[in-house]
Amino acid sequence: MKNNNLFAALRAAFPKDLDAVAVETDTGLNYSWRDLERATAMMANLLQSLDLPQGARVAVQVEKSVEALMLYLATLRAGYVFLPLNTAYQSAEIEYFIGNAEPSVVVCSRKNFGWVSKIAFKAGTQNVFTLDDDRTGSLLDRAAHCSDRHEVVQRSADDLAAILYTSGTTGRSKGAMLSHGNMLSNALVLKDYWAWQPGDVLIHALPIFHVHGLFVAIHGALINGSKMIWLARFDPKLVVQKLPEATVFMGVPTLYVRLLAEPGLTREACRHMRLFVAGSAPLLIETFTEWQERTGHTILERYGMSETAMLTSNPYDGERRGGTVGFALPGVSLRVQDDAGQPVPTGEIGSIQVKGPNVFRGYWRMPEKTKEEFTADGYFKTGDVGKIDERGYITIVGRSKDLIISGGYNVYPAEIEGYINDMPGVAESAVVGVPHPDFGEVGVAIMIAKPGAKLDGEQIIARLKAQLANFKIPKRCFIVGELPRNTMGKVQKNVLREQHKALFA
Ligand code: MCA
Ligand code: AMP
């Protein structure tokens, strides 16, 4: 029987020369393909020795390192379900994810072990390991005693490989369940669509707890047997320095904006580059055009979601049109519908719906929510609003979901408003996204006080900082007498966005 474990496919693409460099780090370390093979075998053996139930979740909140990458691959290899968590999440956020996902294994950094292990043990997790970005931690200590031989566990295409939490517009975060088949199909389509070639080298500068850095970038390089230049964090100077050794780069728009501020970003620096990919948030046409002028390269913009991995892409060969996200990828059906569920005419705006082998298996333990997000004929409602032009190029014009995308991270206003509304003296709040030159969009909070109460914006920000991941904190806070409302009494966020649109201009 064919093994549909994603890891089996990635490993089959390792080059013949296992001693060649697979990952080169910014600290001067080289990891060979053999290192990846052996270390993932050892970690997979460790996981399997823990007697975990079928479908066990391995939740991981660690700094970016090659060992963290190996842990992801080892989890696939051992047939368990990987659950990556943003390193910015604080205790209330982690408590929710661990309580909801009930992982059998939690891996965290040593400095967080105290509070993370407390949360994990309370939720019934039996195994908590540490892993730091200096190649230390109990996970590696334990794996060192395991065999470096391991047979990849048999998995079917429908078996779960990962759960990615993506916040809901109302209520709490939902875990998007992605299967081995979802991810392998997407990786193979992109390998072809983006014309990955022998000798390609990827600069990996994104975090590895979201689809972009974890799947699109890593799977892309591995399924092509390509070396990665691995940066622990995005540093524009270092990226520019490494460009001459690379051929492929992927980033959210903020990374491109910051790279353009580097005088060293020149045609000469990009002379070996083959492909620059952008996504996760809208790429401004100014950035697209300036990049073309400075480097001679046209950024290829694509569009995806945690629930679906990549959905559309501008062509590799053919015109890459700025401001559009290109065409539906091979195998993906994409349509734009009106509120009555009818297809809209060419060029008109409607809701984007998708179907394909990349579309997720549903939300973790939320069958009702899952059902709501699919149409009767099996299309997933993305919550994005867009249009398709006469040449078939898709443009995203907005979102029906109340979501702010800041520097490529999603911020759900409802979550932040919930925290603000719980603060003493706050009657009501609204968080809206406004344009920002660096992050594309940032959150701004507007609130009204309870009668007689006095609110202090700085204090509110400080309180939020103690509770929430840093990227979710509104950049500004306004206390007003009243919020604009429609005739139904609903807060008009569009009016607030308009009022504050020039704040960071
Ligand atoms: C950092 N800060 C931010 C953000 N990042 N504020 C708003 N939005 C952000 N994204 C704030 C911090 O709160 C902090 O504020 C200050 O900036 C410095 O923090 P630091 O961590 O040092 O920031 P940085 O290292 O400069 O990070 C900026 C970044 C990072 C490199 C752009 O945000 C990043 O890596 N973004 C990429 C996200 C990503 O990979 N998204 C893909 C999602 P203070 O000093 O006040 O505390 S996958 C996806 O969307 C789909 C599927 C797709 O299509 O790909
Ligand atoms: P996530 O929940 O992190 O998977 O974010 C997915 C959302 O990011 C999508 O639903 C879009 O709203 C947005 N997105 C991703 N890529 C693009 C893009 N190229 N242009 C505009 N929005 C994008």
Side-chain angles (χ1 to χ4, degrees), residues 205-207 209-213 216 233-234 252 254-255 258 279-281 302-306 309-310 405-411 439 441-442 465 470-473 475:
L206 286 163
F209 35 70
H210 288 305
V211 164
H212 202 160
V216 190
R233 47 179 296 134
F234 172 68
V252 301
T254 300
L255 271 53
R258 293 189 182 181
S280 308
R302 77 348 170 244
Y303 154 59
M305 291 183 75
S306 298
M310 296 304 98
I405 305 184
S406 188
Y409 286 139
N410 291 1
V411 180
F439 293 121
E441 198 179 15
V442 294
K465 278 192 174 173
N470 59 6
F471 63 88
K472 296 182 187 171
I473 310 300
K475 301 285 181 216

Side-chain angles (χ1 to χ4, degrees), residues 37-97:
E37 162 56 26
R38 288 188 57 229
T40 56
M42 291 160 89
M43 286 187 204
N45 279 322
L46 168 62
L47 292 174
Q48 280 185 264
S49 74
L50 301 174
D51 223 8
L52 309 178
Q54 181 79 318
R57 278 78 58 208
V58 177
V60 178
Q61 190 198 30
V62 297
E63 294 299 330
K64 184 175 174 183
S65 68
V66 180
E67 286 67 27
L69 158 67
M70 289 163 163
L71 173 58
Y72 164 56
L73 297 174
T75 305
L76 294 176
R77 185 171 187 157
Y80 299 119
V81 180
F82 193 70
L83 196 174
L85 294 165
N86 194 318
T87 45
Y89 291 150
Q90 302 206 43
S91 58
E93 291 154 316
I94 294 295
E95 191 164 5
Y96 171 74
F97 295 124

Side-chain angles (χ1 to χ4, degrees), residues 191-208:
K191 172 173 155 61
D192 212 39
Y193 207 75
W194 293 345
W196 281 84
Q197 297 166 9
D200 267 334
V201 174
L202 171 82
I203 297 185
H204 193 299
L206 286 163
I208 56 169

Side-chain angles (χ1 to χ4, degrees), residues 14-35:
F14 284 12
K16 275 205 187 68
D17 178 8
L18 286 180
D19 293 316
V21 177
V23 189
E24 174 195 312
T25 72
D26 49 5
T27 49
L29 295 174
N30 283 331
Y31 293 75
S32 66
W33 295 94
R34 195 182 306 283
D35 292 333

